[in-house]
Amino acid sequence: MQSTDVGNKESGKIWHRKPSPAARDGIIVNIIHTTSDYLPKVLRFLNVAFDSSGDCLIAGDHQGNIYVFDLSGNRFNLVQRTAQACTALAFNLRRKSEFLVALADYSIKCFDTVTKELISWMRGHESSVFSISVHASGRYAITTSSDTAQLWDLDTFQRKRKLNILQSVGIQKVFFLPLSNTILSCFKDNSIFAWECDTLFCKYQLPPPPESSSILYKVFAVTRDGRILAAGGKSNHLHLWCLEAKQLFRIIQMPTKVRAIRYLEFLPDSFDAGSNQPPPPLVKVIEDLPKSKLSSGDMKMKVTSGRVQRPAKSRENQIQTRILKQDLTGHFENKENELSDGLNKKRLQILLKGYGEYPTKYRMFIWRSLLQLPENHTAFSSLIDKGIHVAFLNLQKKYPIKSTKLLRVLQRTLSALAHWSAIFSDTPYLPLLAFPFVKLFQNNQLICFEVVATLIINWCQHWFEYFPNPPINILSMIENILAFHDKELLQHFRDHDITSQVYAWPLLETVFSEVLTREEWLKLFDNVFSNHPSFLLLTVVAYNICSRAPLLNCSLKDDFEYFFHHRNNLDISVVIREVYHLMDTTPADIHPDNMLDVFVALTKGQYPVFNQYPKFIVDYQTQERERIRNDELDYLRERQTVENMQAEVDQQRVEDEAWYQKQELLRKAEETRREMLLQEEEKMIQQRQRLAAVKRELKVKEMHLQEAARRRFLKLQQDQREMELRRLEDEIERKVHMRDQEMASAVKDLEMRHLELESQKRLYEKNLTRNQETVAKEIREDADAYRRKVNLEEHTFHRLIEMDQTQNQKTQKLIEENLAKAEQACLNTDWRIQALHKQRCDDLQRNECYQEMAKLLQKNRRKEIEVLNAMMEKEAKKWEEAEEKDFRLKSEKKASALSDASRQWFLEKEINDALEHPEGPRCQYEQVASSCLPRTSPGSDVSEVDASTWISLNQRKIQWDTMEQDLLERVRNLRQRLTAQARNNCQTPHLLAT
């Protein structure tokens, strides 16, 4: 057994490998629904309902999730989330994709499984709905709660009727009987009523059950044909009611361990011809009493565990049982499937030849297996839904059938055939061909239709090629076979002008139903369905050959026609043996096997197209029939019009005579009334004179009263106008005051707006000034730092001079001379280095300026293109530019720091050298001076040394002044650039705004 967890999936497969029933309980798959929460739990399925075909089922859990399980397609789908528990389901509506669900809020909703949309919402119940029953047509539905049952029209989704009862009684269940218009209502007091669906007329009431087995009914089940009702409850007894006889005919006693029956259902059996019977594995041991002793107290069947025993009657009226072996594995599969696996056509033919016919109990199943009926429920339903065909509306006039049910089934079957193929609406012998099968399968219309369709496709081959004439080719085959096997009989037919349309065609068009009894016909078609389609043609020949003696004695055409349309004293077994003999002895050149195709079953899903007929003839006949029908309708309308006109003329004549009589009576009455009026007029004249005097007096009084009322009204009107004028003046003053207030408030708003703009302007100027002051402060701080650095260097330099002055005069002079020369050389070198460095800095600055200009040009081009979409990008780029300038400033500061560090290091080195060698030999200083300085004339003296030292100091001072001026100039330029940049940043939003 497989297990499938639906989980949170909305669709998926029901099983992932080939399903096989479990060995013990027959379960194919176990479907569960668990949540994926932190603590998973199992959601219970509350209700399940199958559709009309049995291939799909719908299930709903207690959280309102509704799933459709397609068993044939191996798929499940979540079709709706109702967010509340469902109490009942129905899936067998006329529109196959729709279903009904009863919810916990006492409402019923209709959803579509394909579009998942809400079709309708029906309300009206005041308690939980626990049952939904749908009519066989799918048009009506009955919803049942504990206090009421309501009948709904599923085309309009409107409530038609409502059944209210006393609260003390309560409703147990209300449902439709299958294949009928009867509603069965079962109440909690065990009363059961049957009602007519259309008129709601009470047809009958079932009698109460016997007191010896009285139980409170809780569950019910009805067979497909609506004949047997099973009822059970909190007891181990099961009651079976015959609804036709309206009486309890059997009581089944379950084992003692069974205390209550919770659910009942009839399972379909393949051999019940449409009704339902319990399958043998469900009934273990049955004890029944003989019919002669059957009474209300003896109608019991005892069911116990063990082997299957069935009662058998003996001559002493004692109960005997027949023991059947139980399946040891307990694997109780469907009997039809179990037999279909072991059926073999050749073995069936051997069995048929041995016994002459199939067992009655299994005949229908064997026929369905031999014909390989696909049971296309959907396709058949679509044909049935088209309704009764026009050609068969008046079928009862031509074929008066006593049973209305049989007539209705015949009409539906013929209509389905006509909707399947147009030729069958014009085939006159189709009712004769289909009637025996309709009578046999009247409780299962699908099987009936498919059997007839299979018969037409295989055993009626080439019948419609000469339509509307009989099949001349088929009749010629029969005549050729008869000529080969019995020339004398054929010559006798020819001598009396008897053609194959007399001795063969009546048998074919009625499929021998007129000349054979039911048992003979069934026996014959056991052999027909078990052999090649040519068997039916050979049966016609065999029937004539076996009846040659009475046929040779006939000489009149009426006698021949009577013979082939009525039953005759003929053994069908002899005819069947003769057919097999003809099959073996007929030559191949005339054998129908070579001219007819082999058996072909109906296709699964949809029925094949049948077009083996002259289409133009059928179309012409259909058009002519339609034209004749329209002409007939026109004639009937005209005749009805003439009859209506004649009736109107007769009625008018009667009305005229009555009118003349009334006029005469009125004239006489008028004369009498005129005399009376003259007398009354004299009296009236006198009264009028008296009244005129009274009126004059009243008129005078009325005039006085009207004058007084007019004066009062004028005064009241004047007062009202004065009040209206005062009210208008007050209103004008109030509006003037309101307008003044509004103008004052507007002026204040404008002033406030002006103040806000001024404050915003000042705030903006303040921010701009603050930014400029911040930049100027930074520049001043940099200048101050640079000035302090210069002062420090000068202080260090002066300290060095002071240290040199403290040394020996001669050594000091020599050192100062050599130091001056060294400083001169160093200054010259520094000037060159600074010149080169300045040139390099200028080159780098020009390069940077060029690059910056190129970048600015590119940015300007991009800004011109993307000015409306790049506000944030421009701001980011400005910040990047500021960071680049800051970085450049830092790099310049770093270069200046490196230069200062090198000069500091040089000065410290010179100081250290001076401190370490104050008294070195003079020649050493001379060598150092000669190596470090250029050669001078030998006539130089100490005065020249002092002059050179003073010149170097002046140059140093001039150099520092120049550097200070350059630095100040650079600071000024930087301040101007920052100010211009701030102005541009302030002007840019205005430019963008314009």
Side-chain angles (χ1 to χ4, degrees):
M1 177 185 67
Q2 302 184 44
S3 181
T4 301
D5 186 3
V6 176
N8 292 330
K9 297 183 290 186
E10 294 189 356
S11 63
K13 292 185 177 181
I14 303 177
W15 47 73
H16 297 278
R17 62 179 183 272
K18 185 177 181 181
S20 59
R24 295 184 178 181
D25 48 16
I27 297 177
I28 297 177
V29 63
N30 183 24
I31 300 174
I32 59 176
H33 186 190
T34 59
T35 61
S36 60
D37 300 334
Y38 178 73
L39 295 175
K41 60 180 180 179
V42 178
L43 302 180
R44 295 177 290 106
F45 284 102
L46 299 180
N47 289 280
V48 176
F50 279 87
D51 63 353
S52 57
S53 64
D55 294 333
C56 292
L57 63 93
I58 190 169
D61 58 22
H62 68 276
Q63 286 191 354
N65 301 315
I66 300 177
Y67 292 86
V68 170
F69 296 91
D70 185 1
L71 302 180
S72 60
N74 188 22
R75 297 291 298 177
F76 71 87
N77 290 286
L78 176 64
V79 296
Q80 200 56 237
R81 297 182 189 269
T82 59
Q84 51 183 324
C86 61
T87 58
L89 287 170
F91 198 24
N92 54 342
L93 277 64
R94 184 167 62 178
R95 292 174 287 273
K96 306 302 180 183
S97 61
E98 295 180 3
F99 66 92
L100 295 176
V101 54
L103 302 176
D105 61 352
Y106 313 151
S107 66
I108 302 99
K109 293 184 179 181
C110 180
F111 294 100
D112 193 295
T113 58
V114 178
T115 61
K116 300 182 181 180
E117 295 180 353
L118 176 64
I119 304 300
S120 180
W121 192 349
M122 298 175 283
R123 291 182 176 272
H125 284 276
E126 297 179 355
S127 59
S128 179
V129 177
F130 56 80
S131 173
I132 301 177
S133 177
V134 181
H135 191 263
S137 64
R139 184 178 177 183
Y140 302 105
I142 294 178
T143 56
T144 308
S145 59
S146 60
D147 56 349
T148 182
Q150 300 185 13
L151 178 63
W152 303 87
D153 189 343
L154 297 183
D155 289 338
T156 60
F157 294 101
Q158 299 293 326
R159 184 174 63 189
K160 294 188 65 178
R161 295 295 178 91
K162 182 178 180 181
L163 173 63
N164 293 319
I165 60 169
L166 298 176
Q167 296 182 355
S168 59
V169 179
I171 299 177
Q172 197 66 49
K173 191 174 183 181
V174 180
F175 55 94
F176 287 103
L177 288 181
L179 303 176
S180 67
N181 288 331
T182 304
I183 301 175
L184 213 63
S185 60
C186 309
F187 301 95
K188 292 184 178 180
D189 59 354
N190 275 14
S191 59
I192 301 176
F193 293 85
W195 310 81
E196 184 66 30
C197 177
D198 298 331
T199 61
L200 291 183
F201 174 75
C202 183
K203 299 174 68 174
Y204 57 84
Q205 178 185 2
L206 295 181
E211 296 181 357
S212 60
S213 180
S214 178
I215 59 176
L216 292 177
Y217 293 152
K218 296 287 186 181
V219 291
F220 305 89
V222 184
T223 56
R224 285 187 181 179
D225 57 0
R227 296 178 180 177
I228 299 175
L229 169 68
K234 197 172 182 180
S235 173
N236 63 344
H237 284 185
L238 181 64
H239 291 184
L240 297 181
W241 292 84
C242 179
L243 298 181
E244 292 182 344
K246 304 175 185 60
Q247 64 179 359
L248 180 69
F249 74 94
R250 186 168 297 173
I251 299 176
I252 299 178
Q253 183 177 355
M254 307 300 290
T256 55
K257 63 181 181 179
V258 177
R259 297 182 180 179
I261 299 174
R262 305 292 295 274
Y263 187 76
L264 281 175
E265 189 68 38
F266 281 96
L267 298 181
D269 193 355
S270 302
F271 316 113
D272 58 0
S275 63
N276 300 125
Q277 300 293 338
L282 296 180
V283 182
K284 300 301 183 182
V285 176
I286 302 175
E287 296 180 8
D288 200 356
L289 295 177
K291 293 183 179 179
S292 60
K293 292 187 176 183
L294 189 62
S295 63
S296 62
D298 298 328
M299 294 186 297
K300 288 187 178 181
M301 301 174 63
K302 187 175 181 181
V303 180
T304 61
S305 61
R307 298 179 179 177
V308 179
Q309 298 179 353
R310 300 192 70 86
K313 248 192 287 188
S314 63
R315 295 181 181 177
E316 293 81 6
N317 291 332
Q318 296 179 354
I319 298 176
Q320 297 181 359
T321 60
R322 179 166 55 91
I323 299 176
L324 302 177
K325 292 183 180 181
Q326 185 178 353
D327 190 355
L328 298 178
T329 62
H331 182 57
F332 302 129
E333 297 181 352
N334 188 296
K335 184 185 296 184
E336 180 177 347
N337 295 334
E338 182 180 348
L339 289 174
S340 62
D341 293 339
L343 283 181
N344 185 281
K345 188 172 182 180
K346 292 184 179 180
R347 293 179 60 186
L348 287 175
Q349 289 176 349
I350 295 173
L351 178 66
L352 183 63
K353 288 183 179 179
Y355 292 93
E357 60 181 338
Y358 292 128
T360 304
K361 183 178 180 180
Y362 299 100
R363 174 177 281 119
M364 299 299 104
F365 166 68
I366 294 174
W367 281 18
R368 291 166 62 179
S369 301
L370 288 172
L371 299 178
Q372 303 176 19
L373 302 182
E375 299 187 13
N376 299 328
H377 293 272
T378 305
F380 178 70
S381 298
S382 64
L383 295 175
I384 290 295
D385 292 342
K386 294 180 180 179
I388 303 299
H389 197 275
V390 179
F392 304 107
L393 287 174
N394 300 321
L395 185 66
Q396 67 276 7
K397 295 181 180 179
K398 188 175 182 180
Y399 300 98
I401 301 175
K402 294 181 179 180
S403 174
T404 56
K405 175 184 177 181
L406 189 60
L407 177 63
R408 186 167 60 251
V409 174
L410 179 61
Q411 275 185 325
R412 291 178 180 176
T413 304
L414 296 178
S415 300
L417 291 170
H419 292 310
W420 175 43
S421 182
I423 190 174
F424 297 126
S425 62
D426 300 326
T427 306
Y429 55 86
L430 185 63
L432 300 175
L433 181 71
F435 180 75
F437 298 99
V438 171
K439 191 173 183 180
L440 189 63
F441 297 100
Q442 58 182 324
N443 294 320
N444 196 331
Q445 300 179 31
L446 171 63
I447 301 301
C448 177
F449 171 80
E450 292 186 350
V451 168
V452 176
T454 305
L455 178 73
I456 292 173
I457 290 177
N458 293 279
W459 281 272
C460 299
Q461 298 181 36
H462 309 294
W463 281 29
F464 307 98
E465 292 180 358
Y466 294 92
F467 185 84
N469 299 316
I472 301 174
N473 49 351
I474 299 297
L475 298 179
S476 299
M477 292 183 197
I478 296 174
E479 188 172 355
N480 293 334
I481 298 171
L482 183 62
F484 179 81
H485 291 283
D486 197 339
K487 296 182 180 179
E488 182 182 358
L489 181 59
L490 180 60
Q491 187 62 37
H492 178 71
F493 287 153
R494 290 176 178 174
D495 293 340
H496 296 86
D497 296 331
I498 303 300
T499 62
S500 56
Q501 297 185 17
V502 176
Y503 66 81
W505 182 236
L507 302 177
L508 290 177
E509 66 179 359
T510 60
V511 287
F512 293 90
S513 60
E514 287 185 346
V515 297
L516 297 178
T517 62
R518 174 185 174 87
E519 290 74 15
E520 292 175 346
W521 188 86
L522 292 173
K523 188 174 182 180
L524 172 64
F525 270 85
D526 285 345
N527 293 268
V528 171
F529 288 151
S530 301
N531 289 278
H532 191 272
S534 61
F535 190 90
L536 185 63
L537 305 182
L538 295 173
T539 305
V540 176
V541 179
Y543 187 85
N544 282 273
I545 293 175
C546 294
S547 305
R548 67 188 312 273
L551 289 174
L552 291 174
N553 293 327
C554 294
S555 57
L556 298 177
K557 187 175 182 179
D558 293 340
D559 296 340
F560 286 104
E561 291 178 352
Y562 181 87
F563 183 87
F564 290 105
H565 284 280
H566 293 81
R567 296 176 183 174
N568 302 292
N569 187 14
L570 187 64
D571 189 0
I572 192 62
S573 300
V574 177
V575 176
I576 294 173
R577 286 196 299 269
E578 181 64 23
V579 173
Y580 284 109
H581 174 71
L582 295 177
M583 291 180 65
D584 296 336
T585 59
T586 301
D589 56 344
I590 62 173
H591 202 291
D593 284 352
N594 300 326
M595 305 173 189
L596 300 179
D597 297 332
V598 296
F599 174 80
V600 177
L602 296 177
T603 55
K604 187 72 173 177
Q606 294 291 335
Y607 295 116
V609 177
F610 186 82
N611 54 5
Q612 300 175 2
Y613 58 87
K615 192 173 182 303
F616 67 96
I617 296 179
V618 176
D619 294 341
Y620 175 75
Q621 288 187 350
T622 304
Q623 295 174 1
E624 287 296 316
R625 187 180 295 102
E626 187 68 20
R627 184 183 61 79
I628 293 171
R629 189 169 64 86
N630 293 332
D631 294 344
E632 184 178 0
L633 291 175
D634 294 340
Y635 168 73
L636 291 175
R637 283 195 295 268
E638 291 177 358
R639 189 176 67 178
Q640 184 67 30
T641 304
V642 172
E643 292 177 354
N644 294 335
M645 292 176 64
Q646 184 66 32
E648 290 177 358
V649 169
D650 295 340
Q651 184 178 0
Q652 186 68 29
R653 185 173 60 255
V654 172
E655 290 177 354
D656 291 343
E657 293 177 357
W659 183 79
Y660 287 132
Q661 294 176 1
K662 289 181 181 179
Q663 290 296 323
E664 184 65 24
L665 294 175
L666 288 174
R667 188 182 62 78
K668 294 179 180 179
E670 184 179 2
E671 292 178 355
T672 306
R673 300 295 189 278
R674 188 176 289 110
E675 294 177 357
M676 295 174 64
L677 284 174
L678 291 174
Q679 298 174 2
E680 292 294 332
E681 283 180 358
E682 293 178 357
K683 295 179 181 179
M684 287 294 293
I685 290 171
Q686 298 175 1
Q687 292 179 359
R688 284 176 181 174
Q689 292 176 354
R690 291 193 295 269
L691 285 175
V694 175
K695 283 182 179 181
R696 279 193 296 272
E697 295 177 359
L698 291 175
K699 192 68 174 176
V700 172
K701 291 181 180 180
E702 183 179 359
M703 290 175 66
H704 291 299
L705 291 174
Q706 286 180 353
E707 183 66 22
R710 186 178 66 81
R711 286 195 295 268
R712 287 195 301 272
F713 176 74
L714 290 174
K715 185 178 181 182
L716 179 62
Q717 191 175 11
Q718 185 177 1
D719 295 339
Q720 288 180 351
R721 288 183 178 179
E722 290 177 356
M723 292 176 63
E724 183 68 20
L725 289 174
R726 286 195 297 272
R727 187 182 65 80
L728 290 175
E729 290 176 355
D730 296 339
E731 183 70 19
I732 290 170
E733 291 178 358
R734 186 178 63 82
K735 288 186 177 181
V736 170
H737 182 67
M738 288 178 64
R739 185 168 62 252
D740 294 339
Q741 289 182 350
E742 289 177 356
M743 291 177 65
S745 62
V747 170
K748 291 181 180 180
D749 291 340
L750 291 175
E751 291 177 354
M752 290 296 296
R753 181 61 179 168
H754 181 68
L755 292 175
E756 289 178 359
L757 293 175
E758 287 293 333
S759 63
Q760 290 179 359
K761 180 180 178 181
R762 291 175 183 175
L763 180 62
Y764 178 71
E765 291 176 352
K766 183 180 179 181
N767 292 332
L768 180 60
T769 306
R770 187 181 300 168
N771 293 333
Q772 292 178 355
E773 289 177 357
T774 303
V775 174
K777 185 178 179 181
E778 291 178 356
I779 295 172
R780 285 195 299 270
E781 289 177 355
D782 293 340
D784 293 339
Y786 181 73
R787 191 178 296 109
R788 286 193 297 270
K789 182 181 65 174
V790 171
N791 293 332
L792 182 61
E793 289 178 357
E794 288 180 354
H795 178 70
T796 305
F797 180 71
H798 289 302
R799 190 166 59 87
L800 177 61
I801 295 174
E802 288 175 358
M803 288 177 63
D804 291 339
Q805 289 176 357
T806 59
Q807 294 179 3
N808 194 352
Q809 189 68 28
K810 292 181 181 181
T811 307
Q812 182 178 2
K813 290 180 180 181
L814 182 61
I815 291 173
E816 286 178 355
E817 181 181 357
N818 294 331
L819 181 60
K821 293 177 181 180
E823 285 180 355
Q824 184 66 34
C826 184
L827 285 173
N828 294 333
T829 307
D830 287 339
W831 287 347
R832 293 187 182 95
I833 291 173
Q834 287 179 2
L836 293 174
H837 179 70
K838 186 175 181 181
Q839 290 176 1
R840 187 166 60 252
C841 289
D842 292 339
D843 294 338
L844 292 174
Q845 187 174 5
R846 283 196 304 273
N847 189 16
E848 290 176 358
C849 290
Y850 293 156
Q851 292 179 358
E852 184 177 357
M853 290 300 294
K855 290 180 180 178
L856 290 174
L857 289 174
Q858 292 176 0
K859 290 178 181 179
N860 288 332
R861 293 192 192 97
R862 288 195 297 270
K863 288 175 184 177
E864 288 175 358
I865 296 173
E866 301 176 354
V867 62
L868 296 178
N869 301 324
M871 293 292 293
M872 300 301 296
E873 294 180 1
K874 182 177 178 181
E875 183 179 356
K877 290 177 182 179
K878 286 294 182 179
W879 280 110
E880 290 177 0
E881 185 179 355
E883 291 176 358
E884 288 178 0
K885 291 181 179 180
D886 188 17
F887 176 74
R888 195 182 309 123
L889 181 60
K890 289 180 180 179
S891 62
E892 290 179 359
K893 288 181 179 180
K894 187 180 293 185
S896 177
L898 291 174
S899 177
D900 295 339
S902 63
R903 287 195 300 273
Q904 187 74 23
W905 174 78
F906 177 75
L907 293 174
E908 289 177 357
K909 182 179 178 183
E910 291 296 330
I911 293 171
N912 292 333
D913 291 341
L915 292 176
E916 288 178 359
H917 307 284
E919 297 180 353
R922 185 175 181 179
C923 61
Q924 184 178 358
Y925 290 107
E926 292 177 354
Q927 292 175 2
V928 171
S930 63
S931 62
C932 294
L933 298 174
R935 295 185 178 269
T936 58
S937 61
S940 62
D941 54 2
V942 178
S943 61
E944 294 177 355
V945 174
D946 295 333
S948 63
T949 302
W950 182 79
I951 292 170
S952 64
L953 291 175
N954 289 332
Q955 290 179 351
R956 172 87 43 97
K957 184 177 180 181
I958 293 170
Q959 182 182 358
W960 289 124
D961 293 337
T962 305
M963 290 178 66
E964 184 178 1
Q965 292 177 0
D966 293 339
L967 182 60
L968 290 175
E969 183 68 23
R970 289 175 62 189
V971 169
R972 192 179 297 108
N973 294 333
L974 180 60
R975 187 181 299 170
Q976 292 177 358
R977 289 172 62 188
L978 290 173
T979 304
Q981 182 179 357
R983 289 177 179 174
N984 292 331
N985 290 335
C986 294
Q987 292 176 3
T988 301
H990 298 288
L991 294 174
L992 292 176
T994 58

